[in-house]
Every structure is written in C-alpha cells, then in structure tokens.
Amino acid sequence: MTDAPLLNVSNYSVGFKTERGLARAVDGVSFTIGAGETLGIVGESGSGKSVLNRSIMGLIASSRQIETGSVLFDGSEMVNQDRQNFWGNRIGMIFQDPMTSLNPVMKVGKQVAEPLRQHLGMSKRQAIERTIELFTNVGIPSPAQRTKQYPHELSGGMRQRVMIAIALAAEPEFLIADEPTTALDVTVQKYILDLLNRLQAEHGMAMTLITHDLGIARGRTDQVLVMYGGRVMEHAPTEELFTHTRHPYTEALLASIPRLDHKKHARLTPIPGAPPNIVEPPPGCRFSPRCKYAQARCVQSSPTVDGAEHRYACFFPVGTDAGAEALASNRAAGETATGLKMSHFEVDA
Amino acid sequence: MKYWTQRLTMVLALMLAVSMLTFASMNVLGDPLFNILGPISGDRKTPENLVKIEAAEKQYYLDKPLPERYVRWLGDFVTGDMGVRFAATGQPPVTELVKERLPRSLWLVFMAQVLALAIAVPWGVWSASRSNSLANKASTVAAFGFVSVPNFALAVILYYIFALKLGLFPLRYDASASFLTRKTQLLLPALTLALPGAAVYQRLLRTDLITTLQEDFILTARAKGVPRRQILFRHALRPSLFSVVTIFGVNAGGMIGGALVVETFFGIPGAGTAIVEAILREDFPVVLALVMIIATGFVVLNFVVDILYSILDPRVRS
Ligand SMILES: Nc1ncnc2c1ncn2[C@@H]1O[C@H](COP(=O)(O)OP(=O)(O)O)[C@@H](O)[C@H]1O
Ligand code: SF4
Ligand SMILES: [Mg+2]
C-alpha cells in the first residue's frame, strides 16, 4: 500500500457525444502521482486539461459524457463511479476565475464554513473560528472582517485566496488547481503560486497544477504532462523535460512563452495554426499540421507515447538524429510534409 | 439616498396625476348631481326640488369650481376622509365602506401571492433539477394550462372539485364568521388566483435556475462537497429569483383584476365587487377612493420589489 501512488490514471479517455460525432476531449491518458507530489499539466487552451481533471473527479454532470480506462485514487476505482464522497473531502479543487467561482450572494466566510461543517462536522462557531484561521493562513489581512464580506468587495487575488481556503478547508490529500493564476494580475500570480506550494508542503498534499504556461510548471512541479488535442505528447520529470525536451510541441510551447534564460532569441515564435478538431482529428500525429518536423510518416500513422521515465509520442524527437534530419530535410524543401511553410519558423535565424 | 428621494418624488407626482385624471374624468364625463338626486336634478323650476338641489350642491361642494373641489377632496383623502357616497343618504361614508370591503380583497391577493410562491418555488426547483424527464414535460403542459385557462373557468373547475364534490371548502363566503374561518373561506378563491401566477413564476424560476446551475460557483459548491439539495436551495435559488421578483409586482396587478372575477364568483363582498357596484351606480367617490388605493398599493409594491432586489443581491446595495 505504501508504494502505490495516490492517483493512478491509466489509458483514461473521455468523450462527449455531439451532433457532429464523438468529441474525444481526453484520449488514452496515463500518469501517476505519489502522495505529496506535484504534477504539472500543460497545453494550449482546448487541449483537454480541464476536462481531464473534472472527469477524474466525476464533476462533469452530462449524460453525453463517456468515460473509459482506469483511475485509481488511493486504491479505489473512480471511473464510472459516484465520486461525491471525495469532493472537497479528499480532493479539493481551485478554478481559474475567482471572479465567477465564488457565490456572489453569499458571504465569503460562509462559503468557507460550508465544507467545514459538511466534512468535519463542525458547529457554526467552530467553523467561523477555523475560517478565520484559514484566512490567516492564506494571507488574507484582517480575516475576521473579511469573513463578513461578499466576493464583490474583494480583489481578484483576495478571492483566489478565499478559493484556496475553501479547497483546503477539509484538508484533502489531493488538490487540483486548474489554472489558478491565469485570471490574475502578474503581480499576484507569483504570490498565489508560492502560497500553493507552501500550503502543499505544510499539508503533505499531492497536487496537479494545470497551466497553459510552461514557465509556471518549472520549479513548482515534480513532473510535467504536456497535452495536445486530448492526448499526452510528452511526460517527464520536470527538470528532464526542460533540459532534454523531446517533443516538437513542447519545444514550440517553450518558444512561444517569454523565458529568462533565452537571452539571445528574445523573440517569441507563436505556434502556427489552431488546436485540432477533436471530433475529426487530423490523420496520423495530431500535431502534424503545425509541426516543423513533420514528415510523410507523421501523416500516415500515429506515434504512441513511449518511454519509461521520460515518455513522448513522436517519430522525430527533438535533440535526436532523427529529429535533426527531419528538420534539415524540411528546411531544404522549404515546407513540411503537411505543407507548413518553414519561413514561419526561421524569422529569427 | 438621492436615488430614493428622486423615486419618491416621481411616484408622488405620478399619483397626483392619476388622482387628477380620475377626479376630473368622473366629474366631467358624469353628472354627479344626477347620480345623487336622480331625475329631479334637472328640475330647478319646482321650488322644493330647487331646495334639494341646492342642499346637495352644498353638501357635495358641487357649487364650487372643479379645481377647488379637487383640492378639498385631496386634503380630505390624505387625512383619511374619503368623503360621502353619491346616494340620497350618503351613507355609509366611503371610508367605512372601504374599511369593510378592502381588507377582504387585500387578504385574498396576499394569500394568492403567498400560495403562488409556495407552489412555484418547489415546483420550479424540481423541474430545473431534472430538466429532461417525462414528468417534467407533463409539468410544462400543466403550467401552460394554468396560464391559459381564464380565471372564471378555473374558478368553476376548482369550485366544482373542491367545494361541491370533495366538500373541502364552504360553498359561500360568510362575512359574519370568525377571523380564521373567513381566511379558510378565502383559500379556494386565493388558489384560483394563485395557480396562473404560480405557473408564470415556475417557468421564470426554472429558466433562471437552469442558467444559474451552469455558473462556475455552482461547480465550486459541488467540488467542495455541498449536497445536491443544498446546492439547489442555498446556492442556486437566491440568484435565480430576479425575474420572479420583477414579475411579482406586475402579477399583483393581474391578481387585482382577477380578484374582481373571483370575488363575484365566490360571493365575497370585497373591494373588487364594491368597485363594480360603484361603477354601475356611478358612485364616483367610491370609485375614486378605490382607484387611488389600488394605485398606492402598486407604488408600495414596487418599492417592496426594489428592496427585495437589494436583499437578493448584495451588489445592488453598494
Ligand atoms: N460538455 C462538453 N461537450 C462537448 N465538448 C466539450 C465539453 N466540455 C469540453 N469540451 C471540449 O473538450 C475540449 C477540451 O476542453 P478543456 O478541457 O476545457 O480544455 P483546456 O482546459 O485544456 O483549455 C475542448 O475542445 C472543448 O470544446
Ligand atoms: S515530428 Fe511527426 S510525430 Fe513528431 S510531433 Fe511532429 S508530426 Fe508529430
Ligand atoms: Mg481549462
């Protein structure tokens, strides 16, 4: 039991029945998280990060949803089971937009007290006292007064701290933070992320940190899962992923965000094109229409996620001879096998 | 505060305008003297008739110019004296008549609103929380049924089922019964008024609830483990009541109109029947008094609605 990971996700898929067909929002995803560990989940908007996590929790209340595969949480199977007992109690969640994620017509103190009373059976008075402690712990000044305020009376950063207090109220073993800082000012982002890391360490909590910004995952996570069109593109221990990036999508993500260690090429290269249609995905590798390494093989068949510690799904990985050759031949041809002009990538060369 | 002062001023101006219009039209379009004395009012040649005419003109200030009569009437009205009726004896005074009749109608409309909400809230929550079931389709049909059946037809149906067949309610209204008995007598008429209202509230509440249930904060509530029932009643209900509250005021107007029909059908001597009787007899002071009271009721109700908004949403308060 001690060796078993807290969360073990294997070959997990989530589809939505739509008029146009099955939307494969999550497609054959596998990973594990040990107690106290942090997993970063990274990918552009629409890559399936939120669906993955909400589905794991069983929070998607749609009869159109189809789940397959296996998700073991602390040894018990979650897929297609009622997971209500876990909500707030053993798994906490923080959402992207603190402006809309709090009930606008309920005092924030009461919103924190709810899970305390529900899961820990506290009396009203105990819950209020505990709420004030929690507010202090997440860095909310004059906590007693704040409990009596409504969300609209608080700033975005304060509201996100309230959200964190709510998620942590019942001391869950696992926290899912779904883009917790995306909607916040840059100045408060770092504070919230540091706060999450500190609380996680204090509580020995496992956590998934979902973000579309790879930079956020660095230094704050133990392992990173890169998702694209519902699939895992690359999955590795965090430092390994940054130092030995193998997947062209990960590389493209890195090139599209500002990085401190990138002094020479300060210029950013956005990824050309748009995320794939998940109802009718492109043939072969889903990233092929946007990949500068793409070869004929990438359109004919789909790479599987291979590897042990460091897994990735690519025929021509970055930093390998195969990858270098693919890039060289595309440069020579001026375009990729999917017709993407190489000039798009060479502007800063 | 400035907002409320402005609103109050506007409302007072509006009520003055309503009273002037009603007062003027009744005195200009009708012939008060004729209403009081009957055919002899035109006969100023016969001395004994002339005496009666002059006495009546004095009593009802008909010899004074219209604006002066209006000001007199208004002064009396705001101090609670609604004048005398246009009848040979002028008895009972309008104030007495209103005091006797109005409370019944107020109770009727009040009970109807309470019943309508008591029916609509659980019904709306239920139908929003399981929006696709077969039972739900039936409830939609029922709602449209209640809205489209006219008041008098609904009155007949309910009366037939609950009073005649089941004997649950008395057949006639008895004004001399005890307070509580009189209220139970009002239940069936109130239900007649309440059902269409309940159906409207239910539709609005259902639509707003379905929207609210998609909100992010509902996901937060679920994720923190709030049980389903509490999500519906503690989190989703309150932010979904705005349309209901808005229509609440409008609906009260419809219910006053409906009260006319319902009071007549159930034989309740209320303000609705009083106004009909007064119009038929062209008893203008009674009509005027009741029109003014109903208008005031509307104004008060709209203030109540505004206050309800700010109770429902703390953001309105600041
Ligand atoms: N209820 C649903 N029905 C159909 N498609 C959905 C549903 N929810 C999400 N999706 C689709 O799943 C994909 C992944 O969405 P999401 O997980 O929100 O992306 P991310 O969080 O990575 O930005 C999107 O293409 C989205 O349109
Ligand atoms: S090189 Fe081929 S397999 Fe690898 S990401 Fe690009 S298109 Fe996909
Ligand atoms: Mg998302």
Side-chain angles (χ1 to χ4, degrees):
Chain A
M1 202 59 216
T2 44
D3 280 353
L6 181 66
L7 186 72
N8 187 343
V9 177
S10 57
N11 200 20
Y12 184 60
S13 301
V14 181
F16 293 100
K17 287 180 256 178
T18 69
E19 294 93 59
R20 293 165 294 127
L22 188 69
R24 292 180 186 81
V26 175
D27 196 353
V29 171
S30 303
F31 61 87
T32 62
I33 304 177
E37 235 189 352
T38 305
L39 168 76
I41 300 184
V42 186
E44 287 166 292
S45 156
S47 51
K49 309 180 296 292
S50 298
V51 169
L52 170 65
N53 283 279
R54 284 177 199 181
S55 293
I56 286 177
M57 256 191 109
L59 272 171
I60 296 185
S62 165
S63 53
R64 296 162 174 274
Q65 186 209 23
I66 300 168
E67 260 186 305
T68 58
S70 162
V71 174
L72 296 174
F73 181 79
D74 196 16
S76 48
E77 180 60 61
M78 311 265 275
V79 172
N80 292 316
Q81 302 298 312
D82 183 2
R83 281 149 274 193
Q84 226 163 318
N85 308 338
F86 295 92
W87 297 350
N89 192 14
R90 303 192 63 189
I91 307 176
M93 260 192 110
I94 301 167
F95 301 101
Q96 176 171 338
D97 192 352
M99 299 298 172
T100 57
S101 295
L102 289 168
N103 187 334
V105 301
M106 195 186 269
K107 289 180 179 150
V108 291
K110 199 175 168 205
Q111 302 191 45
V112 181
E114 261 185 332
L116 292 169
R117 305 199 61 194
Q118 174 73 27
H119 300 301
L120 307 180
M122 287 190 182
S123 69
K124 224 173 200 160
R125 164 157 307 173
Q126 287 172 318
I128 292 169
E129 279 167 15
R130 181 72 187 130
T131 301
I132 294 172
E133 278 174 29
L134 281 164
F135 273 13
T136 314
N137 206 11
V138 296
I140 295 177
S142 37
Q145 280 105 291
R146 293 290 182 183
T147 57
K148 298 189 195 88
Q149 290 186 312
Y150 288 95
H152 74 273
E153 297 171 278
L154 306 179
S155 69
M158 283 302 152
R159 291 191 216 188
Q160 199 59 307
R161 287 176 223 197
V162 173
M163 279 296 292
I164 294 172
I166 290 174
L168 296 186
E171 311 210 343
E173 301 133 89
F174 180 42
L175 181 70
I176 297 173
D178 191 346
E179 311 222 16
T181 58
T182 303
L184 299 179
D185 285 350
V186 189
T187 46
V188 278
Q189 282 189 5
K190 185 177 173 333
Y191 180 92
I192 295 291
L193 291 167
D194 288 346
L195 175 68
L196 280 173
N197 278 136
R198 170 171 71 78
L199 294 168
Q200 182 195 9
E202 278 173 20
H203 294 253
M205 238 179 354
M207 174 163 92
T208 51
L209 180 63
I210 301 170
T211 170
H212 61 263
D213 179 354
L214 248 179
I216 282 178
R218 189 164 208 180
R220 300 188 185 277
T221 56
D222 301 306
Q223 44 167 336
V224 174
L225 189 79
V226 180
M227 282 184 76
Y228 182 75
R231 287 194 177 169
V232 174
M233 295 290 116
E234 187 163 16
H235 178 197
T238 307
E239 265 324 293
E240 167 72 14
L241 184 97
F242 283 97
T243 50
H244 298 105
T245 306
R246 285 286 175 259
H247 202 282
Y249 178 58
T250 315
E251 188 191 48
L253 277 180
L254 281 168
S256 69
I257 52 166
R259 277 177 61 189
L260 297 173
D261 54 341
H262 250 218
K263 281 176 204 96
K264 254 207 248 160
H265 302 284
R267 183 181 208 116
L268 303 177
T269 315
I271 308 177
N277 177 341
I278 54 171
V279 178
E280 288 166 48
C285 174
R286 288 189 181 183
F287 188 55
S288 58
R290 305 169 71 189
C291 177
K292 66 176 172 181
Y293 296 78
Q295 303 295 305
R297 188 185 171 194
C298 306
V299 189
Q300 284 146 14
S301 58
S302 194
T304 53
V305 197
D306 291 322
E309 267 275 88
H310 189 161
R311 306 152 63 220
Y312 47 88
C314 180
F315 296 129
F316 306 97
V318 182
T320 65
D321 291 346
E325 275 166 35
L327 200 56
S329 81
N330 284 351
R331 281 208 178 106
E335 61 175 33
T336 71
T338 57
L340 188 65
K341 293 277 172 282
M342 288 304 280
S343 55
H344 175 89
F345 304 100
E346 312 297 330
V347 277
D348 57 343
Chain B
M1 213 51 236
K2 190 168 165 245
Y3 167 76
W4 291 103
T5 326
Q6 268 180 357
R7 277 213 56 178
L8 200 67
T9 321
M10 253 174 60
V11 154
L12 284 177
L14 186 74
M15 301 223 5
L16 273 180
V18 168
S19 66
M20 276 181 210
L21 269 176
T22 321
F23 190 88
S25 62
M26 289 187 173
N27 280 285
V28 174
L29 300 178
D31 177 0
L33 205 54
F34 180 84
N35 300 136
I36 297 162
L37 297 176
I40 62 162
S41 65
D43 178 17
R44 285 176 187 266
K45 294 200 185 85
T46 324
E48 67 237 48
N49 283 351
L50 188 62
V51 171
K52 279 188 192 163
I53 290 171
E54 276 173 353
E57 277 179 346
K58 223 174 188 67
Q59 189 187 353
Y60 299 109
Y61 305 112
L62 295 177
D63 49 349
K64 302 281 190 292
L66 197 60
E68 191 189 330
R69 274 155 59 198
Y70 171 73
V71 172
R72 267 177 197 284
W73 169 83
L74 188 67
D76 286 348
F77 185 82
V78 295
T79 54
D81 176 6
M82 301 176 199
V84 281
R85 300 174 62 181
F86 281 180
T89 59
Q91 288 302 320
V94 179
T95 310
E96 291 305 309
L97 180 84
V98 167
K99 268 192 196 153
E100 187 206 332
R101 300 291 199 92
L102 190 65
R104 291 178 195 137
S105 300
L106 289 182
W107 271 104
L108 180 65
V109 172
F110 173 73
M111 284 168 69
Q113 286 282 31
V114 171
L115 274 176
L117 288 175
I119 296 168
V121 168
W123 186 10
V125 171
W126 170 80
S127 78
S129 69
R130 52 191 74 220
S131 46
N132 280 321
S133 71
L134 196 68
N136 215 309
K137 300 217 167 77
S139 111
T140 306
V141 174
F144 281 109
F146 288 143
V147 177
S148 40
V149 173
N151 267 322
F152 65 86
L154 196 58
V156 172
I157 296 166
L158 292 177
Y159 185 76
Y160 180 79
I161 299 175
F162 291 105
L164 281 180
K165 281 286 150 191
L166 299 177
L168 293 175
F169 294 98
L171 298 180
R172 299 290 305 164
Y173 183 82
D174 177 7
S176 62
S178 73
F179 179 81
L180 271 179
T181 317
R182 277 181 286 142
K183 296 297 137 341
T184 52
Q185 287 172 350
L186 283 181
L187 268 176
L188 198 55
L191 188 65
T192 312
L193 286 181
L195 283 180
V200 172
Y201 295 155
Q202 184 264 350
R203 296 314 293 172
L204 291 171
L205 181 58
R206 182 188 130 91
T207 313
D208 283 10
L209 261 176
I210 288 174
T211 313
T212 306
L213 287 172
Q214 322 266 328
E215 299 270 358
D216 286 349
F217 69 84
I218 295 295
L219 186 66
T220 307
R222 293 174 63 222
K224 70 186 180 185
V226 179
R228 191 180 162 74
R229 234 187 133 65
Q230 286 182 29
I231 292 205
L232 287 170
F233 285 96
R234 282 204 207 149
H235 286 269
L237 182 59
R238 200 168 133 188
S240 309
L241 281 173
F242 287 89
S243 311
V244 170
V245 166
T246 308
I247 292 303
F248 183 81
V250 180
N251 227 359
M255 285 190 179
I256 290 171
L260 248 167
V261 176
V262 170
E263 282 177 14
T264 313
F265 181 85
F266 286 94
I268 303 164
T273 41
I275 220 170
V276 175
E277 287 160 19
I279 287 171
L280 291 177
R281 274 197 267 114
E282 299 191 21
D283 194 347
F284 292 149
V286 173
V287 178
L288 191 58
L290 286 171
V291 165
M292 285 313 293
I293 287 167
I294 290 170
T296 314
F298 256 110
V299 167
V300 171
L301 205 69
N302 274 303
F303 268 103
V304 171
V305 165
D306 271 4
I307 291 165
L308 281 178
Y309 279 142
S310 65
I311 290 174
L312 283 179
D313 191 347
R315 285 166 296 188
V316 177
R317 269 172 249 167
S318 47

